[in-house]
Amino acid sequence: MKKTYIIAEIGINHNGDLDIAKCIIDIASLSGCDAVKFQKRNPDVCVPEHQKNIMRETPWGAMTYLEYKYKVEFGKEEYDEIDAYCKQKGILWSASAWDVNSQKFLRQYDLPFNKVASAMLTHNELLREIASEGKHTFISTGMSTFEDIDNAVEIFRSANCPFTLFHCVSTYPCKDDDCNINLIPALKSKYGCHVGYSGHEEGILPSILAVSVGAIALERHITLDRSMYGSDQSASIEKPELERLVKESRKVTNTMGTGQKMFLQHEVPVANKLRYFEGGKSANA
């Protein structure tokens, strides 16, 4: 089996601090992840009007929700540095765009894949913009119906853009009872495509189970400390769990095997020892 592609979702867990972002990149690289992923948005476009002026307490003092979203948003200067830093560390990076202009912004970098966030699954204009690039895209399917997924799949197939669906449940953190890992083979069967898993649960068991039922890729939010300020921190995993996730998912991939019956060469001496009866000696001996 091909090894599971593991994406460490940094998202906005850096809280607008480039040094924190670099520390999380270090964790992902040292843990053996294949890529890290950020989120890119234009807050003026992505924050609903009725939420823009809502006040909230933050580590930087009281500010409006719109001001907060700008506070944690990276621009070209930061992404230039992220691009250089990831190359230095030998790890790939990408970002999920939350609006059309943000997707256009990301095109200036040589990203290995695109990502559609669950929240953007029904944003047809954005989906068409992403699909027009023809670049492999991971599509998260949280808070959606089959009709929503049908529509997204049709857009990408019409554009001849390769994609992988991500089974996802958009609660933060997600309860184990809600993970519904068995939907992964069901999605694979229904849409005839590769399927991965984007998890928001505490711990790593559902992610490991996802690999065991055929998820070819995993995406998990990671953080320096789950107690840090931010909406995604509690649904993230820290360095020790990330290391276990990478190690165990690789082990699952190897352990699941090919599904073909084989008489292994190192079984031969055991067979010859235990099969005392006539004709019991292995023909493979």
Side-chain angles (χ1 to χ4, degrees), residues 53-87:
N53 293 317
I54 295 176
M55 297 299 298
R56 64 187 295 160
E57 291 296 329
T58 76
W60 312 281
M63 60 181 66
T64 66
Y65 187 58
L66 181 60
E67 289 171 330
Y68 161 70
K69 295 306 285 186
Y70 271 111
K71 178 71 177 176
V72 299
E73 186 64 38
F74 283 158
K76 180 170 174 28
E77 183 178 346
E78 291 84 5
Y79 276 113
D80 284 351
E81 195 157 343
I82 285 169
D83 187 59
Y85 193 74
C86 286
K87 288 175 180 175

PDB file of all heavy atoms in Angstrom, residues 53-87:
ATOM      1  N   ASN A  53     -18.393  44.092  13.544  1.00  0.00           N
ATOM      2  CA  ASN A  53     -18.204  45.042  14.641  1.00  0.00           C
ATOM      3  C   ASN A  53     -18.470  44.449  16.016  1.00  0.00           C
ATOM      4  O   ASN A  53     -18.510  45.186  17.010  1.00  0.00           O
ATOM      5  CB  ASN A  53     -19.094  46.268  14.418  1.00  0.00           C
ATOM      6  CG  ASN A  53     -18.651  47.069  13.201  1.00  0.00           C
ATOM      7  OD1 ASN A  53     -17.459  47.280  12.991  1.00  0.00           O
ATOM      8  ND2 ASN A  53     -19.608  47.497  12.396  1.00  0.00           N
ATOM      9  N   ILE A  54     -18.643  43.138  16.093  1.00  0.00           N
ATOM     10  CA  ILE A  54     -18.802  42.490  17.397  1.00  0.00           C
ATOM     11  C   ILE A  54     -17.493  42.564  18.152  1.00  0.00           C
ATOM     12  O   ILE A  54     -16.434  42.209  17.624  1.00  0.00           O
ATOM     13  CB  ILE A  54     -19.254  41.025  17.224  1.00  0.00           C
ATOM     14  CG1 ILE A  54     -20.657  40.969  16.605  1.00  0.00           C
ATOM     15  CG2 ILE A  54     -19.238  40.288  18.560  1.00  0.00           C
ATOM     16  CD1 ILE A  54     -21.140  39.565  16.314  1.00  0.00           C
ATOM     17  N   MET A  55     -17.558  43.034  19.381  1.00  0.00           N
ATOM     18  CA  MET A  55     -16.342  43.165  20.188  1.00  0.00           C
ATOM     19  C   MET A  55     -15.976  41.829  20.820  1.00  0.00           C
ATOM     20  O   MET A  55     -16.852  41.029  21.172  1.00  0.00           O
ATOM     21  CB  MET A  55     -16.544  44.217  21.278  1.00  0.00           C
ATOM     22  CG  MET A  55     -16.800  45.609  20.748  1.00  0.00           C
ATOM     23  SD  MET A  55     -15.425  46.259  19.743  1.00  0.00           S
ATOM     24  CE  MET A  55     -14.084  46.300  20.962  1.00  0.00           C
ATOM     25  N   ARG A  56     -14.676  41.596  20.959  1.00  0.00           N
ATOM     26  CA  ARG A  56     -14.217  40.385  21.622  1.00  0.00           C
ATOM     27  C   ARG A  56     -12.923  40.685  22.366  1.00  0.00           C
ATOM     28  O   ARG A  56     -12.133  41.540  21.973  1.00  0.00           O
ATOM     29  CB  ARG A  56     -14.030  39.235  20.631  1.00  0.00           C
ATOM     30  CG  ARG A  56     -12.971  39.447  19.593  1.00  0.00           C
ATOM     31  CD  ARG A  56     -12.984  38.324  18.568  1.00  0.00           C
ATOM     32  NE  ARG A  56     -12.637  37.048  19.146  1.00  0.00           N
ATOM     33  CZ  ARG A  56     -12.928  35.878  18.599  1.00  0.00           C
ATOM     34  NH1 ARG A  56     -13.588  35.840  17.443  1.00  0.00           N
ATOM     35  NH2 ARG A  56     -12.580  34.761  19.165  1.00  0.00           N
ATOM     36  N   GLU A  57     -12.756  39.965  23.461  1.00  0.00           N
ATOM     37  CA  GLU A  57     -11.524  40.078  24.237  1.00  0.00           C
ATOM     38  C   GLU A  57     -10.478  39.143  23.633  1.00  0.00           C
ATOM     39  O   GLU A  57     -10.755  37.981  23.364  1.00  0.00           O
ATOM     40  CB  GLU A  57     -11.772  39.719  25.701  1.00  0.00           C
ATOM     41  CG  GLU A  57     -12.635  40.722  26.438  1.00  0.00           C
ATOM     42  CD  GLU A  57     -11.982  42.095  26.554  1.00  0.00           C
ATOM     43  OE1 GLU A  57     -10.722  42.157  26.625  1.00  0.00           O
ATOM     44  OE2 GLU A  57     -12.707  43.100  26.545  1.00  0.00           O
ATOM     45  N   THR A  58      -9.288  39.651  23.425  1.00  0.00           N
ATOM     46  CA  THR A  58      -8.208  38.866  22.839  1.00  0.00           C
ATOM     47  C   THR A  58      -6.941  39.085  23.665  1.00  0.00           C
ATOM     48  O   THR A  58      -6.887  39.995  24.507  1.00  0.00           O
ATOM     49  CB  THR A  58      -7.934  39.302  21.383  1.00  0.00           C
ATOM     50  OG1 THR A  58      -7.208  40.544  21.398  1.00  0.00           O
ATOM     51  CG2 THR A  58      -9.231  39.467  20.600  1.00  0.00           C
ATOM     52  N   PRO A  59      -5.913  38.293  23.422  1.00  0.00           N
ATOM     53  CA  PRO A  59      -4.637  38.522  24.122  1.00  0.00           C
ATOM     54  C   PRO A  59      -4.028  39.888  23.804  1.00  0.00           C
ATOM     55  O   PRO A  59      -3.125  40.341  24.512  1.00  0.00           O
ATOM     56  CB  PRO A  59      -3.743  37.390  23.602  1.00  0.00           C
ATOM     57  CG  PRO A  59      -4.681  36.334  23.148  1.00  0.00           C
ATOM     58  CD  PRO A  59      -5.878  37.066  22.622  1.00  0.00           C
ATOM     59  N   TRP A  60      -4.523  40.542  22.754  1.00  0.00           N
ATOM     60  CA  TRP A  60      -3.991  41.851  22.348  1.00  0.00           C
ATOM     61  C   TRP A  60      -4.938  42.978  22.753  1.00  0.00           C
ATOM     62  O   TRP A  60      -4.797  44.099  22.271  1.00  0.00           O
ATOM     63  CB  TRP A  60      -3.767  41.856  20.843  1.00  0.00           C
ATOM     64  CG  TRP A  60      -3.034  40.633  20.388  1.00  0.00           C
ATOM     65  CD1 TRP A  60      -1.698  40.383  20.475  1.00  0.00           C
ATOM     66  CD2 TRP A  60      -3.627  39.458  19.802  1.00  0.00           C
ATOM     67  NE1 TRP A  60      -1.414  39.138  19.980  1.00  0.00           N
ATOM     68  CE2 TRP A  60      -2.565  38.535  19.560  1.00  0.00           C
ATOM     69  CE3 TRP A  60      -4.922  39.091  19.446  1.00  0.00           C
ATOM     70  CZ2 TRP A  60      -2.778  37.278  18.996  1.00  0.00           C
ATOM     71  CZ3 TRP A  60      -5.138  37.830  18.886  1.00  0.00           C
ATOM     72  CH2 TRP A  60      -4.079  36.945  18.669  1.00  0.00           C
ATOM     73  N   GLY A  61      -5.898  42.655  23.623  1.00  0.00           N
ATOM     74  CA  GLY A  61      -6.858  43.649  24.072  1.00  0.00           C
ATOM     75  C   GLY A  61      -8.202  43.490  23.379  1.00  0.00           C
ATOM     76  O   GLY A  61      -8.390  42.622  22.522  1.00  0.00           O
ATOM     77  N   ALA A  62      -9.141  44.331  23.734  1.00  0.00           N
ATOM     78  CA  ALA A  62     -10.474  44.286  23.130  1.00  0.00           C
ATOM     79  C   ALA A  62     -10.410  44.827  21.707  1.00  0.00           C
ATOM     80  O   ALA A  62      -9.755  45.849  21.439  1.00  0.00           O
ATOM     81  CB  ALA A  62     -11.460  45.091  23.963  1.00  0.00           C
ATOM     82  N   MET A  63     -11.039  44.146  20.781  1.00  0.00           N
ATOM     83  CA  MET A  63     -11.089  44.594  19.383  1.00  0.00           C
ATOM     84  C   MET A  63     -12.305  44.005  18.714  1.00  0.00           C
ATOM     85  O   MET A  63     -12.920  43.051  19.214  1.00  0.00           O
ATOM     86  CB  MET A  63      -9.810  44.190  18.636  1.00  0.00           C
ATOM     87  CG  MET A  63      -9.538  42.714  18.575  1.00  0.00           C
ATOM     88  SD  MET A  63      -7.981  42.315  17.686  1.00  0.00           S
ATOM     89  CE  MET A  63      -6.746  43.007  18.771  1.00  0.00           C
ATOM     90  N   THR A  64     -12.681  44.553  17.560  1.00  0.00           N
ATOM     91  CA  THR A  64     -13.798  43.990  16.808  1.00  0.00           C
ATOM     92  C   THR A  64     -13.373  42.667  16.179  1.00  0.00           C
ATOM     93  O   THR A  64     -12.175  42.391  16.018  1.00  0.00           O
ATOM     94  CB  THR A  64     -14.270  44.941  15.698  1.00  0.00           C
ATOM     95  OG1 THR A  64     -13.223  45.059  14.713  1.00  0.00           O
ATOM     96  CG2 THR A  64     -14.623  46.313  16.262  1.00  0.00           C
ATOM     97  N   TYR A  65     -14.358  41.879  15.808  1.00  0.00           N
ATOM     98  CA  TYR A  65     -14.059  40.596  15.180  1.00  0.00           C
ATOM     99  C   TYR A  65     -13.287  40.804  13.876  1.00  0.00           C
ATOM    100  O   TYR A  65     -12.363  40.044  13.567  1.00  0.00           O
ATOM    101  CB  TYR A  65     -15.351  39.828  14.912  1.00  0.00           C
ATOM    102  CG  TYR A  65     -15.127  38.424  14.407  1.00  0.00           C
ATOM    103  CD1 TYR A  65     -14.394  37.508  15.143  1.00  0.00           C
ATOM    104  CD2 TYR A  65     -15.643  38.013  13.179  1.00  0.00           C
ATOM    105  CE1 TYR A  65     -14.177  36.210  14.688  1.00  0.00           C
ATOM    106  CE2 TYR A  65     -15.436  36.728  12.713  1.00  0.00           C
ATOM    107  CZ  TYR A  65     -14.709  35.830  13.467  1.00  0.00           C
ATOM    108  OH  TYR A  65     -14.498  34.553  12.996  1.00  0.00           O
ATOM    109  N   LEU A  66     -13.637  41.851  13.124  1.00  0.00           N
ATOM    110  CA  LEU A  66     -12.921  42.133  11.879  1.00  0.00           C
ATOM    111  C   LEU A  66     -11.464  42.477  12.162  1.00  0.00           C
ATOM    112  O   LEU A  66     -10.551  41.991  11.470  1.00  0.00           O
ATOM    113  CB  LEU A  66     -13.583  43.282  11.130  1.00  0.00           C
ATOM    114  CG  LEU A  66     -12.948  43.664   9.781  1.00  0.00           C
ATOM    115  CD1 LEU A  66     -12.988  42.491   8.812  1.00  0.00           C
ATOM    116  CD2 LEU A  66     -13.649  44.880   9.187  1.00  0.00           C
ATOM    117  N   GLU A  67     -11.214  43.290  13.182  1.00  0.00           N
ATOM    118  CA  GLU A  67      -9.844  43.626  13.552  1.00  0.00           C
ATOM    119  C   GLU A  67      -9.064  42.378  13.963  1.00  0.00           C
ATOM    120  O   GLU A  67      -7.887  42.220  13.622  1.00  0.00           O
ATOM    121  CB  GLU A  67      -9.848  44.644  14.696  1.00  0.00           C
ATOM    122  CG  GLU A  67     -10.313  46.038  14.292  1.00  0.00           C
ATOM    123  CD  GLU A  67     -10.501  46.962  15.482  1.00  0.00           C
ATOM    124  OE1 GLU A  67     -10.833  46.465  16.590  1.00  0.00           O
ATOM    125  OE2 GLU A  67     -10.332  48.175  15.292  1.00  0.00           O
ATOM    126  N   TYR A  68      -9.735  41.494  14.688  1.00  0.00           N
ATOM    127  CA  TYR A  68      -9.085  40.244  15.102  1.00  0.00           C
ATOM    128  C   TYR A  68      -8.693  39.397  13.888  1.00  0.00           C
ATOM    129  O   TYR A  68      -7.580  38.866  13.827  1.00  0.00           O
ATOM    130  CB  TYR A  68     -10.020  39.449  16.020  1.00  0.00           C
ATOM    131  CG  TYR A  68      -9.664  37.990  16.124  1.00  0.00           C
ATOM    132  CD1 TYR A  68      -8.512  37.568  16.790  1.00  0.00           C
ATOM    133  CD2 TYR A  68     -10.468  37.010  15.526  1.00  0.00           C
ATOM    134  CE1 TYR A  68      -8.171  36.238  16.863  1.00  0.00           C
ATOM    135  CE2 TYR A  68     -10.131  35.675  15.601  1.00  0.00           C
ATOM    136  CZ  TYR A  68      -8.992  35.289  16.264  1.00  0.00           C
ATOM    137  OH  TYR A  68      -8.653  33.964  16.328  1.00  0.00           O
ATOM    138  N   LYS A  69      -9.600  39.292  12.914  1.00  0.00           N
ATOM    139  CA  LYS A  69      -9.296  38.473  11.737  1.00  0.00           C
ATOM    140  C   LYS A  69      -8.115  39.055  10.949  1.00  0.00           C
ATOM    141  O   LYS A  69      -7.307  38.306  10.394  1.00  0.00           O
ATOM    142  CB  LYS A  69     -10.526  38.354  10.832  1.00  0.00           C
ATOM    143  CG  LYS A  69     -11.698  37.613  11.472  1.00  0.00           C
ATOM    144  CD  LYS A  69     -11.330  36.245  11.990  1.00  0.00           C
ATOM    145  CE  LYS A  69     -11.152  35.236  10.882  1.00  0.00           C
ATOM    146  NZ  LYS A  69     -10.919  33.864  11.414  1.00  0.00           N
ATOM    147  N   TYR A  70      -7.991  40.367  10.909  1.00  0.00           N
ATOM    148  CA  TYR A  70      -6.824  40.974  10.279  1.00  0.00           C
ATOM    149  C   TYR A  70      -5.560  40.719  11.104  1.00  0.00           C
ATOM    150  O   TYR A  70      -4.468  40.541  10.553  1.00  0.00           O
ATOM    151  CB  TYR A  70      -7.030  42.477  10.090  1.00  0.00           C
ATOM    152  CG  TYR A  70      -7.687  42.831   8.777  1.00  0.00           C
ATOM    153  CD1 TYR A  70      -8.981  43.345   8.735  1.00  0.00           C
ATOM    154  CD2 TYR A  70      -7.018  42.644   7.571  1.00  0.00           C
ATOM    155  CE1 TYR A  70      -9.589  43.672   7.527  1.00  0.00           C
ATOM    156  CE2 TYR A  70      -7.613  42.959   6.354  1.00  0.00           C
ATOM    157  CZ  TYR A  70      -8.902  43.471   6.343  1.00  0.00           C
ATOM    158  OH  TYR A  70      -9.492  43.778   5.135  1.00  0.00           O
ATOM    159  N   LYS A  71      -5.717  40.690  12.421  1.00  0.00           N
ATOM    160  CA  LYS A  71      -4.578  40.484  13.313  1.00  0.00           C
ATOM    161  C   LYS A  71      -3.903  39.135  13.059  1.00  0.00           C
ATOM    162  O   LYS A  71      -2.673  39.014  13.159  1.00  0.00           O
ATOM    163  CB  LYS A  71      -5.058  40.556  14.772  1.00  0.00           C
ATOM    164  CG  LYS A  71      -3.982  40.303  15.824  1.00  0.00           C
ATOM    165  CD  LYS A  71      -2.993  41.431  15.920  1.00  0.00           C
ATOM    166  CE  LYS A  71      -1.977  41.187  17.024  1.00  0.00           C
ATOM    167  NZ  LYS A  71      -0.933  42.241  17.069  1.00  0.00           N
ATOM    168  N   VAL A  72      -4.683  38.120  12.727  1.00  0.00           N
ATOM    169  CA  VAL A  72      -4.127  36.769  12.562  1.00  0.00           C
ATOM    170  C   VAL A  72      -3.928  36.399  11.094  1.00  0.00           C
ATOM    171  O   VAL A  72      -3.635  35.241  10.786  1.00  0.00           O
ATOM    172  CB  VAL A  72      -5.022  35.714  13.258  1.00  0.00           C
ATOM    173  CG1 VAL A  72      -5.111  35.984  14.748  1.00  0.00           C
ATOM    174  CG2 VAL A  72      -6.424  35.667  12.654  1.00  0.00           C
ATOM    175  N   GLU A  73      -4.070  37.370  10.203  1.00  0.00           N
ATOM    176  CA  GLU A  73      -3.941  37.087   8.771  1.00  0.00           C
ATOM    177  C   GLU A  73      -2.531  37.394   8.282  1.00  0.00           C
ATOM    178  O   GLU A  73      -1.974  38.459   8.572  1.00  0.00           O
ATOM    179  CB  GLU A  73      -4.951  37.924   7.985  1.00  0.00           C
ATOM    180  CG  GLU A  73      -5.006  37.610   6.495  1.00  0.00           C
ATOM    181  CD  GLU A  73      -5.479  36.207   6.211  1.00  0.00           C
ATOM    182  OE1 GLU A  73      -6.386  35.714   6.920  1.00  0.00           O
ATOM    183  OE2 GLU A  73      -4.918  35.587   5.278  1.00  0.00           O
ATOM    184  N   PHE A  74      -1.939  36.465   7.545  1.00  0.00           N
ATOM    185  CA  PHE A  74      -0.634  36.674   6.928  1.00  0.00           C
ATOM    186  C   PHE A  74      -0.802  37.266   5.532  1.00  0.00           C
ATOM    187  O   PHE A  74      -1.731  36.914   4.794  1.00  0.00           O
ATOM    188  CB  PHE A  74       0.137  35.362   6.828  1.00  0.00           C
ATOM    189  CG  PHE A  74       0.746  34.893   8.118  1.00  0.00           C
ATOM    190  CD1 PHE A  74       1.067  33.546   8.290  1.00  0.00           C
ATOM    191  CD2 PHE A  74       1.024  35.765   9.151  1.00  0.00           C
ATOM    192  CE1 PHE A  74       1.643  33.099   9.465  1.00  0.00           C
ATOM    193  CE2 PHE A  74       1.600  35.336  10.330  1.00  0.00           C
ATOM    194  CZ  PHE A  74       1.912  33.997  10.488  1.00  0.00           C
ATOM    195  N   GLY A  75       0.152  38.125   5.150  1.00  0.00           N
ATOM    196  CA  GLY A  75       0.181  38.695   3.813  1.00  0.00           C
ATOM    197  C   GLY A  75       1.394  38.220   3.031  1.00  0.00           C
ATOM    198  O   GLY A  75       2.043  37.231   3.389  1.00  0.00           O
ATOM    199  N   LYS A  76       1.732  38.931   1.963  1.00  0.00           N
ATOM    200  CA  LYS A  76       2.806  38.485   1.062  1.00  0.00           C
ATOM    201  C   LYS A  76       4.151  38.387   1.779  1.00  0.00           C
ATOM    202  O   LYS A  76       4.898  37.421   1.565  1.00  0.00           O
ATOM    203  CB  LYS A  76       2.908  39.422  -0.132  1.00  0.00           C
ATOM    204  CG  LYS A  76       4.025  39.008  -1.108  1.00  0.00           C
ATOM    205  CD  LYS A  76       3.976  39.786  -2.385  1.00  0.00           C
ATOM    206  CE  LYS A  76       5.144  39.513  -3.302  1.00  0.00           C
ATOM    207  NZ  LYS A  76       5.787  38.223  -3.220  1.00  0.00           N
ATOM    208  N   GLU A  77       4.471  39.343   2.618  1.00  0.00           N
ATOM    209  CA  GLU A  77       5.758  39.307   3.304  1.00  0.00           C
ATOM    210  C   GLU A  77       5.908  38.046   4.146  1.00  0.00           C
ATOM    211  O   GLU A  77       6.954  37.377   4.110  1.00  0.00           O
ATOM    212  CB  GLU A  77       5.907  40.545   4.194  1.00  0.00           C
ATOM    213  CG  GLU A  77       7.246  40.629   4.902  1.00  0.00           C
ATOM    214  CD  GLU A  77       7.387  41.883   5.747  1.00  0.00           C
ATOM    215  OE1 GLU A  77       6.565  42.815   5.587  1.00  0.00           O
ATOM    216  OE2 GLU A  77       8.326  41.940   6.581  1.00  0.00           O
ATOM    217  N   GLU A  78       4.853  37.701   4.873  1.00  0.00           N
ATOM    218  CA  GLU A  78       4.911  36.508   5.718  1.00  0.00           C
ATOM    219  C   GLU A  78       4.939  35.230   4.878  1.00  0.00           C
ATOM    220  O   GLU A  78       5.698  34.296   5.176  1.00  0.00           O
ATOM    221  CB  GLU A  78       3.709  36.473   6.672  1.00  0.00           C
ATOM    222  CG  GLU A  78       3.731  37.530   7.761  1.00  0.00           C
ATOM    223  CD  GLU A  78       3.174  38.869   7.315  1.00  0.00           C
ATOM    224  OE1 GLU A  78       2.670  38.956   6.159  1.00  0.00           O
ATOM    225  OE2 GLU A  78       3.225  39.831   8.100  1.00  0.00           O
ATOM    226  N   TYR A  79       4.130  35.187   3.817  1.00  0.00           N
ATOM    227  CA  TYR A  79       4.110  33.964   3.003  1.00  0.00           C
ATOM    228  C   TYR A  79       5.397  33.787   2.207  1.00  0.00           C
ATOM    229  O   TYR A  79       5.821  32.662   1.951  1.00  0.00           O
ATOM    230  CB  TYR A  79       2.877  33.935   2.095  1.00  0.00           C
ATOM    231  CG  TYR A  79       1.653  33.405   2.807  1.00  0.00           C
ATOM    232  CD1 TYR A  79       0.562  34.226   3.068  1.00  0.00           C
ATOM    233  CD2 TYR A  79       1.605  32.088   3.260  1.00  0.00           C
ATOM    234  CE1 TYR A  79      -0.546  33.751   3.741  1.00  0.00           C
ATOM    235  CE2 TYR A  79       0.502  31.601   3.931  1.00  0.00           C
ATOM    236  CZ  TYR A  79      -0.575  32.433   4.173  1.00  0.00           C
ATOM    237  OH  TYR A  79      -1.661  31.950   4.856  1.00  0.00           O
ATOM    238  N   ASP A  80       6.031  34.877   1.825  1.00  0.00           N
ATOM    239  CA  ASP A  80       7.351  34.762   1.195  1.00  0.00           C
ATOM    240  C   ASP A  80       8.332  34.086   2.154  1.00  0.00           C
ATOM    241  O   ASP A  80       9.124  33.217   1.763  1.00  0.00           O
ATOM    242  CB  ASP A  80       7.887  36.141   0.808  1.00  0.00           C
ATOM    243  CG  ASP A  80       7.229  36.709  -0.436  1.00  0.00           C
ATOM    244  OD1 ASP A  80       6.484  35.973  -1.103  1.00  0.00           O
ATOM    245  OD2 ASP A  80       7.464  37.906  -0.719  1.00  0.00           O
ATOM    246  N   GLU A  81       8.259  34.492   3.415  1.00  0.00           N
ATOM    247  CA  GLU A  81       9.167  33.915   4.405  1.00  0.00           C
ATOM    248  C   GLU A  81       8.793  32.466   4.712  1.00  0.00           C
ATOM    249  O   GLU A  81       9.670  31.612   4.891  1.00  0.00           O
ATOM    250  CB  GLU A  81       9.150  34.755   5.683  1.00  0.00           C
ATOM    251  CG  GLU A  81      10.308  34.437   6.604  1.00  0.00           C
ATOM    252  CD  GLU A  81      10.650  35.563   7.568  1.00  0.00           C
ATOM    253  OE1 GLU A  81      10.220  36.711   7.330  1.00  0.00           O
ATOM    254  OE2 GLU A  81      11.350  35.287   8.559  1.00  0.00           O
ATOM    255  N   ILE A  82       7.497  32.176   4.770  1.00  0.00           N
ATOM    256  CA  ILE A  82       7.036  30.795   4.987  1.00  0.00           C
ATOM    257  C   ILE A  82       7.506  29.903   3.835  1.00  0.00           C
ATOM    258  O   ILE A  82       7.982  28.787   4.046  1.00  0.00           O
ATOM    259  CB  ILE A  82       5.501  30.757   5.104  1.00  0.00           C
ATOM    260  CG1 ILE A  82       5.071  31.290   6.482  1.00  0.00           C
ATOM    261  CG2 ILE A  82       4.962  29.341   4.888  1.00  0.00           C
ATOM    262  CD1 ILE A  82       3.592  31.552   6.612  1.00  0.00           C
ATOM    263  N   ASP A  83       7.382  30.417   2.606  1.00  0.00           N
ATOM    264  CA  ASP A  83       7.801  29.657   1.434  1.00  0.00           C
ATOM    265  C   ASP A  83       9.291  29.314   1.514  1.00  0.00           C
ATOM    266  O   ASP A  83       9.694  28.161   1.298  1.00  0.00           O
ATOM    267  CB  ASP A  83       7.504  30.475   0.174  1.00  0.00           C
ATOM    268  CG  ASP A  83       7.755  29.706  -1.106  1.00  0.00           C
ATOM    269  OD1 ASP A  83       7.137  28.649  -1.295  1.00  0.00           O
ATOM    270  OD2 ASP A  83       8.590  30.161  -1.913  1.00  0.00           O
ATOM    271  N   ALA A  84      10.091  30.305   1.874  1.00  0.00           N
ATOM    272  CA  ALA A  84      11.539  30.082   1.976  1.00  0.00           C
ATOM    273  C   ALA A  84      11.863  29.150   3.140  1.00  0.00           C
ATOM    274  O   ALA A  84      12.737  28.271   3.018  1.00  0.00           O
ATOM    275  CB  ALA A  84      12.253  31.420   2.151  1.00  0.00           C
ATOM    276  N   TYR A  85      11.164  29.306   4.238  1.00  0.00           N
ATOM    277  CA  TYR A  85      11.453  28.506   5.423  1.00  0.00           C
ATOM    278  C   TYR A  85      11.095  27.034   5.199  1.00  0.00           C
ATOM    279  O   TYR A  85      11.844  26.136   5.605  1.00  0.00           O
ATOM    280  CB  TYR A  85      10.693  29.052   6.628  1.00  0.00           C
ATOM    281  CG  TYR A  85      11.165  28.484   7.952  1.00  0.00           C
ATOM    282  CD1 TYR A  85      12.368  28.897   8.511  1.00  0.00           C
ATOM    283  CD2 TYR A  85      10.408  27.544   8.653  1.00  0.00           C
ATOM    284  CE1 TYR A  85      12.819  28.384   9.719  1.00  0.00           C
ATOM    285  CE2 TYR A  85      10.843  27.028   9.862  1.00  0.00           C
ATOM    286  CZ  TYR A  85      12.045  27.453  10.390  1.00  0.00           C
ATOM    287  OH  TYR A  85      12.491  26.943  11.592  1.00  0.00           O
ATOM    288  N   CYS A  86       9.967  26.792   4.548  1.00  0.00           N
ATOM    289  CA  CYS A  86       9.576  25.405   4.262  1.00  0.00           C
ATOM    290  C   CYS A  86      10.566  24.740   3.316  1.00  0.00           C
ATOM    291  O   CYS A  86      10.890  23.558   3.473  1.00  0.00           O
ATOM    292  CB  CYS A  86       8.156  25.362   3.689  1.00  0.00           C
ATOM    293  SG  CYS A  86       6.852  25.650   4.907  1.00  0.00           S
ATOM    294  N   LYS A  87      11.066  25.477   2.344  1.00  0.00           N
ATOM    295  CA  LYS A  87      12.084  24.924   1.445  1.00  0.00           C
ATOM    296  C   LYS A  87      13.346  24.577   2.233  1.00  0.00           C
ATOM    297  O   LYS A  87      13.975  23.542   1.998  1.00  0.00           O
ATOM    298  CB  LYS A  87      12.402  25.926   0.338  1.00  0.00           C
ATOM    299  CG  LYS A  87      11.283  26.060  -0.686  1.00  0.00           C
ATOM    300  CD  LYS A  87      11.582  27.154  -1.703  1.00  0.00           C
ATOM    301  CE  LYS A  87      10.433  27.263  -2.702  1.00  0.00           C
ATOM    302  NZ  LYS A  87      10.617  28.401  -3.652  1.00  0.00           N
TER     303      LYS A  87
END
